[in-house]
């Protein structure tokens, strides 16, 4: 295994825990956590991630980490959170973790000024930086901007919205009070639209889009659009929740005179407040100022609620001050408070059954005072109010007379609550309208919009409000995916940046389920509302009937919570949202979808004597007097508003602030990794990380850079193309080329790198002039270097031509010499031999001259011999003679000479001549021996040459055999490919279907995981809900069974053959120790299969700043062949009969290969600077036994199977394609020579002695040599 490889393993509570890999399988990795209290974790490959070398390293931008994955993101957030660094970037997206406390110095005026004009990355992450970026983009791009603040309830969206709003108003305001009015609008809207929920003490129960308009780069006004106020909260709340803040603040902080006028008491005295908690939010300093008569008994018993940002007593004063600053008079403010109090008293009206036989009900005697107070506060007649709530006026079609229909107790209660909700809802609309009137503007050149809308919600009881909120979040998540992932990738492709594609889950099917025409849930709800007797259960049954096979919707019994499983099918439905499954109970869905009042109630409030109440209902209109409730669809109204909002967002530039909720207890310094990880995954941040591995989040057009400097450019620089000018500017500045990339029309920057360039872009004019001079200087140098290079190239080319001419002359000389020598070599040899004979003539004449007898005859013979020798020399020179003829003449002359010498020696017997003759004879004998020796050496040289020729011929034959074998295999491969193509047509559709089915199953499994995580969190939040026992889904069981089958059984039910149960180390031991040949081969297959999957995991999770090929275990050509043929190989393997043909052919065969390669770090260099090396591989059967890399200028890299499994190339011989690569296969002798020359034998011997080398052909040969 990778010794000490530190990774993050999944953990349900902590998200991830750090540990080391102890085993790998075909589909999973086993990690041993460092924390000994946690058991070993076995997880799939896509759930395990490599860890940073420095575990304590925390960075401002997560993209600056070596490994970009969800585990390092979570760990970085954890480290920063505990240092009170709650903001973190992921490229240009800001993550904000709610600290649940006030961090000193984080939002001071000094900090606001500090971020003005600073690019992202210059200063630590902050919502101020996002706001400043939005303003600068508005100013530079002339395009309106939107800041989308998203996250779960309690994640801090509202607070971040306020801080961003304040930053913009303080830094870019016009100096008028309009700047402060925009800031002060938030406290007022929060008072009327925010409330305490289970998960958030200051939860926005409505959505708002705040537009801050600019003209000439100065703030001139604003406009607030609001969406879907939660009206059900007005009349009922959860046990630990509260109604809207304004009710409590009015009861707690109103002056005594106002309190008496509005007949206010403690919260426990009002029906609409007593259902939830009746405690106030109070700080210690405020508690003493609140009278005891304002406190509920529960508050006195339990004490005040604690939140550093909320104080009901002081917040009332802040509301009054905010109203004054916004131009709302004291009288208007009192009118608003009067209606709020009227709603509270309206809730205290009770009903009881009437005594008469006509049925109906009446106001109970003990609440008639409430009727009087309510009527007075709302400007209504008490009797008319009682009449409208206990009776309904009906009128038949075509009839003028009306009929009074009594209402029973329940119906009257419903009428009361409908009236309360209508009054408060219209009052909230009025408050927003008054706020918009406080910062009017005539015209604007653009705006910055800040969207703060309720986050994804899931409770034990989820109703129509949660359904609409989650529908909105589905749409916003789709917008995020499209804007950040889809459009970004389209731009990369258009600009030719070559960034890898990122796959993300599209939630369009869930959106269609809700909003599709006719079959969408909203349209089904509207159709139900139009029926004579609409019914929630019938509506629910219609949904299940029309979407019975839809993956996203199912019956409540499929919920992970036991409380939901008790619901009947017609009482709710479960939708699988992008963040998890939510079960909606459809009781009152129809009622809540209708935003209209009964005629009698609407007529009553429209005729109120109170001017403000009358104004609240003046635009509603009394449409009908028939008594039937007119229908105004809340769902489709919200759908229309949401469509309008998204159209605005599509037309703006976007910045995102993703708010994260660190724990469900709302406690500081508590970081629940599992809960946070779920939020990160659901918000799409994991997909963003994948994109940023090769992405460029910041960019600017060439033309914009050019225009920035154009005014101060010299005339000759203005003639430059914008792209060329940018290139010159970047070169002059010395920017690192890995930090940016040129597209077709824009220059793109890596995460965090745009800030450096942007600082230069916004420099003062003097500094810009200096930059222009540097550009001119660089251009002059570049042109001079180009001139030098051209001149040197011409000189080099000239010298090369001259050198080549000289070399051609030398080549011609040598060729002519070779041809001449080849033609005349027999004559030269014959001439040399004849010359030696001629050299002996003088000695023979001396001998003749020394003779006393027969001197004359001997002179004649010798002279004749001399003439023959000289004639032979002349013939050799003058004539073209055959080698045989020259040899025959030479032999004849030799015999003649020997005969003459014999005669001479026989005649010279004199004593005085004997010694001299003997010496001459000895000399002649030596000459003869020398000739014999030369002949012998010549024969030996010829024999050696012949032997060498035979060896070369033999080697050529062996190579020819290898080449023939390669061609044969290539031909077989071609035939197999043709065969594969024939069967591919039949199985391609099947494989495609299987892949789609696998993707669908994976999506379902992922959705089930999210559903369970959401259910676990809900159970923790609620404290009472119970999660269904964790039973593995049938789909996952099937998947695991399939994996076990693939990984394993080669011999039926025998445990020995079930290789999926073997650990990685056990497989290696089995290969080394087993004597079962078939079992060993099966183990090798499984061993390399696991290695291949493991190396794919490592390649997928490579470091972001790591060279792609630095850890490559084979040359790029080999890996590319495997990647390009992967699909075809998969298809081919699907056909067993085709694969079986070559399965046993290469089982025990030893084959050797050598191919050139370029070092990964040199691939980006020019060809002349690339250093080339050699890659050697010895295949023992299908897999590599020995591997060697000879790097230029580096120590040889030697690898042996067993010892170096993690570094060896894991591909099989067929996968590498080496057998079909011409010239790649070499002889065993050539491999062994290179291996031994680089101390390979010593390296392998050491591995054998250490017992870490796997048994292969090479190790067996080495062991025999060692013995």
């Amino acid at each position: 295994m990778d010794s000490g490889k530190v990774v993050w393993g999944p953990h349900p509570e902590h998200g991830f825990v750090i540990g080391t890999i102890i085993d790998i399988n075909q589909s999973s990795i086993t990690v041993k956590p460092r924390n000994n209290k946690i058991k070993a974790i076995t997880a799939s490959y896509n759930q395990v991630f490599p860890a940073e070398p420095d575990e304590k390293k925390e960075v401002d931008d997560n993209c600056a980490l070596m490994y970009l994955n969800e585990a390092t993101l979570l760990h970085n957030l954890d480290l920063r959170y505990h240092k009170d660094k709650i903001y973190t970037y992921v490229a240009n997206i800001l993550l904000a973790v709610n600290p649940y406390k006030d961090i000193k110095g984080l939002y001071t005026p000094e900090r606001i000024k500090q971020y003005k004009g600073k690019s992202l990355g210059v200063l630590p992450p902050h919502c101020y930086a996002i706001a400043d970026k939005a303003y600068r983009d508005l100013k530079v791009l002339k395009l309106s901007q939107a800041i989308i603040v998203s996250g779960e309830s309690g994640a801090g969206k509202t607070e971040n919205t306020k801080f961003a709003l304040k930053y913009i108003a303080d830094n870019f305001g016009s100096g008028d009070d309009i700047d402060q009015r925009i800031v002060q609008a938030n406290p007022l809207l929060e008072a009327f639209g925010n409330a305490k929920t289970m998960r958030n003490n200051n939860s926005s129960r409505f959505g708002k889009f705040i537009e801050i308009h600019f003209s000439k780069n100065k703030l001139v006004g604003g406009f607030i659009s609001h969406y879907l106020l939660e009206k059900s909260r007005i009349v009922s709340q959860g046990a630990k929740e509260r109604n809207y803040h304004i009710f409590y603040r009015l009861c707690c902080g109103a002056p005594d005179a106002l309190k008496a006028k509005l007949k206010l008491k403690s919260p426990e005295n009002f029906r609409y407040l007593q259902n939830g908690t009746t405690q106030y939010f109070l700080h210690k300093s405020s508690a003493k100022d609140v009278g005891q008569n304002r406190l509920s008994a529960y508050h006195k018993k339990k004490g005040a609620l604690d939140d550093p940002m909320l104080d009901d007593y002081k917040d009332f004063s802040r509301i009054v001050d905010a109203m004054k600053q916004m131009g709302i008079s004291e009288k208007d403010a009192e009118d608003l408070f009067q209606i709020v109090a009227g709603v509270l008293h309206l809730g205290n009206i009770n009903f009881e059954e009437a005594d008469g036989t006509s049925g109906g009900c009446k106001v109970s005697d003990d609440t008639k005072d409430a009727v009087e107070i309510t009527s007075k506060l709302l400007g209504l007649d008490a009797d008319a109010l009682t009449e409208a709530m206990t009776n309904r006026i009906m009128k038949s079609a075509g009839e003028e007379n009306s009929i009074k229909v009594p209402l029973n107790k329940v119906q009257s209660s419903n009428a009361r609550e409908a009236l309360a909700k209508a009054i408060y809802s219209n009052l909230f609309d009025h408050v927003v309208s008054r706020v918009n009137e406080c910062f009017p503007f005539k015209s604007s050149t653009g705006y910055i919009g800040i969207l703060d809308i309720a986050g994804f919600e899931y409770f034990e009881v989820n109703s129509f409000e949660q359904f609409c909120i989650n529908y909105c979040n589905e749409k916003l998540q789709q917008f995020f995916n499209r804007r950040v992932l889809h459009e970004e990738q389209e731009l990369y492709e258009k600009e030719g940046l070559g960034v890898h594609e990122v796959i993300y889950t599209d939630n369009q099917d869930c959106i269609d389920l809700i909003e599709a025409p006719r079959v969408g849930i909203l349209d089904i709800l509207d159709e139900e509302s139009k029926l004579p007797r609409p019914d929630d259960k019938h509506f629910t049954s219609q949904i299940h009937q029309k979407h019975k096979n839809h993956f996203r919707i199912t019956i409540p019994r499929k919920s992970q919570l036991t409380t939901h499983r008790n619901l009947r099918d017609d009482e709710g439905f479960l939708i699988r949202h992008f963040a998890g499954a939510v079960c909606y109970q459809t009781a009152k869905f129809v009622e809540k979808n209708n935003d209209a009042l009964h005629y009698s109630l609407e007529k009553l409030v429209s005729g109120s004597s109170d001017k403000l109440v009358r104004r609240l209902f003046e635009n509603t209109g009394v449409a009908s007097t028939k008594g039937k409730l007119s229908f105004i669809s809340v769902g489709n109204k919200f759908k229309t508003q949401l469509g309008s909002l998204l159209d605005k967002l599509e037309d703006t530039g976007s910045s995102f602030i993703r708010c994260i909720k660190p724990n469900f207890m709302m406690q500081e310094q508590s970081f629940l990794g599992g809960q946070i990880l779920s939020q990160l995954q659901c918000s799409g941040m994991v997909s963003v990380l994948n994109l940023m591995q090769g992405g460029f989040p910041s960019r600017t057009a060439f033309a914009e850079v050019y225009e920035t400097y154009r005014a101060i450019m010299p005339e000759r620089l203005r003639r430059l193309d914008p792209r060329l000018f940018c290139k010159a500017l970047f070169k002059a500045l010395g920017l690192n080329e890995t930090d940016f990339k040129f597209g077709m029309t824009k220059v793109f920057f890596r995460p965090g790198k745009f800030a450096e360039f942007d600082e230069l872009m916004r420099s003062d004019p003097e500094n810009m002039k200096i930059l222009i001079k540097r550009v001119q200087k660089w251009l002059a140098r570049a042109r001079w270097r180009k001139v030098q290079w051209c001149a040197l190239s011409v000189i080099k080319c000239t010298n090369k031509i001259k050198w080549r001419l000289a070399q051609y002359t030398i080549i011609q000389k040598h060729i002519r010499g070779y041809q001449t020598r080849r033609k005349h070599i027999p004559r030269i040899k014959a001439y040399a031999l004849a010359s030696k004979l001629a050299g002996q003539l003088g000695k023979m004449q001396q001998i003749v001259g020394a003779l006393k007898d027969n001197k004359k005859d001997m002179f004649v013979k010798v002279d004749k011999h001399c003439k023959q020798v000289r004639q032979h020399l002349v013939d050799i020179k003058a004539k073209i003679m055959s080698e045989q003829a020259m040899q025959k003449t030479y032999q004849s002359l030799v015999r003649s000479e020997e005969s003459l010498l014999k005669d001479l020696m026989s005649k010279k017997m004199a004593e005085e001549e004997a010694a001299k003759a003997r010496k001459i004879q000895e000399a002649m004998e030596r000459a003869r021996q020398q000739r014999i020796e030369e002949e012998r050496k010549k024969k030996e040289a010829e024999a050696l040459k012949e032997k060498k020729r035979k060896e070369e011929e033999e080697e050529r034959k062996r190579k020819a055999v290898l080449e023939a074998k390669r061609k044969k295999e290539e031909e077989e491969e071609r035939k197999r490919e043709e065969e594969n193509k024939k069967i591919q047509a039949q199985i391609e559709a099947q494989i495609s279907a299987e892949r789609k089915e696998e993707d669908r199953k994976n999506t379902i499994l992922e959705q089930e995981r999210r559903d369970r995580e959401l259910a676990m969190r809900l159970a923790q939040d609620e404290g009472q809900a119970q999660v269904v026992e964790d039973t593995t889904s049938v789909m996952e069981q099937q998947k695991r069974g399939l994996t076990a089958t693939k990984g394993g059984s080669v011999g039926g039910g025998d445990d020995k053959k079930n290789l999926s149960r073997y650990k990685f180390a056990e497989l290696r031991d089995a290969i080394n120790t087993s004597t079962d040949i078939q079992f060993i081969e099966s183990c090798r297959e499984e061993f390399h299969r696991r290695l291949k999957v493991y190396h794919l995991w490592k390649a997928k999770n490579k470091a972001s700043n790591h060279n792609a090929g630095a850890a490559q275990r084979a040359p790029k050509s080999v890996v590319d062949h495997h990647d390009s043929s992967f699909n075809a190989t998969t298809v081919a393997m699907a056909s067993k009969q085709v694969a079986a043909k070559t399965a046993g052919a290469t089982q025990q065969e030893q084959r050797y290969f050598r191919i050139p390669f370029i070092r990964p770090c040199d691939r980006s260099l020019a060809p002349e600077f690339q250093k080339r090396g050699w890659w050697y591989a010895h295949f023992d059967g299908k897999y590599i036994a020995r591997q060697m890399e000879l790097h230029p200028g580096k120590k040889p890299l030697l690898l042996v199977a067993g010892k170096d499994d993690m570094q060896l190339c894991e591909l099989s011989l067929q996968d590498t394609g080496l057998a079909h690569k011409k010239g790649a296969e070499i002889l065993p002798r050539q491999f062994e020579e290179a291996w031994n020359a680089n101390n390979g034998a010593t390296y392998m011997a050491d591995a054998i002695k250490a017992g870490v080398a796997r048994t292969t052909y090479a190790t067996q040969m080495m062991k025999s040599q060692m013995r």
Side-chain angles (χ1 to χ4, degrees), residues 458-492:
Y458 51 98
F459 302 104
E460 190 172 343
V461 177
N462 301 285
S463 189
F464 181 71
E465 291 82 8
Q466 283 71 45
F467 174 76
C468 291
I469 288 170
N470 293 341
Y471 161 54
C472 172
N473 280 273
E474 286 281 358
K475 295 283 283 186
L476 290 176
Q477 182 64 28
Q478 185 189 50
F479 173 77
F480 174 83
N481 290 340
R482 188 164 58 245
R483 179 59 59 92
V484 176
L485 300 174
H486 180 70
E487 292 182 5
E488 192 79 358
Q489 291 185 85
E490 278 189 343
L491 178 62
Y492 291 163

Side-chain angles (χ1 to χ4, degrees), residues 244 256 306 337 366 413 544 563 663 844 847 911 933 1002:
Y244 290 103
D256 291 338
D306 182 41
F337 296 145
D366 57 343
S413 297
H544 289 309
T563 53
N663 60 79
M844 290 176 66
I847 295 172
E911 292 181 4
E933 182 66 21
N1002 289 336

Side-chain angles (χ1 to χ4, degrees), residues 550-658:
H550 201 293
F551 163 66
R552 291 282 184 177
I553 191 168
T554 186
I555 54 179
R557 290 200 303 270
K558 298 292 181 68
S559 174
Q560 296 281 349
L561 289 174
T562 53
T563 53
H564 294 158
R565 293 197 169 196
N566 295 328
L567 294 174
R568 293 172 52 184
D569 292 355
D570 59 0
E571 291 179 343
F573 53 82
L574 184 141
I575 294 182
R576 296 185 175 97
H577 291 286
F578 71 94
V582 178
C583 184
Y584 299 99
Q585 297 183 25
T586 53
K588 296 191 176 181
F589 253 60
V590 174
E591 177 188 331
K592 292 177 180 180
N593 187 47
N594 194 346
D595 210 18
L597 282 173
H598 278 291
Y599 167 74
S600 52
L601 288 174
E602 192 165 333
K603 183 178 180 181
L604 173 70
V605 291
S606 298
S608 170
S609 61
D610 186 280
K611 184 179 178 181
L612 180 56
V613 174
R614 204 165 54 246
R615 182 178 175 185
L616 296 182
F617 290 88
E618 65 183 4
N619 294 325
T620 57
V622 183
S624 173
T625 58
K626 295 180 182 178
K628 184 182 183 302
L629 188 65
S630 57
F631 175 61
I632 302 173
S633 171
V634 175
N636 267 297
K637 178 183 176 183
F638 180 62
K639 174 183 171 182
T640 304
Q641 289 179 326
L642 190 56
S644 175
L645 171 64
L646 287 169
D647 288 341
K648 283 185 179 180
L649 295 180
E650 290 287 354
D651 295 335
T652 63
S654 301
S655 299
F656 293 91
I657 300 177
R658 293 296 210 191

Side-chain angles (χ1 to χ4, degrees), residues 3 7 79 253 372 402 657 896 942 1189 1257:
S3 179
V7 296
L79 292 175
E372 294 293 334
S402 59
I657 300 177
S896 176
E942 289 178 352
E1189 294 179 21
Y1257 172 80

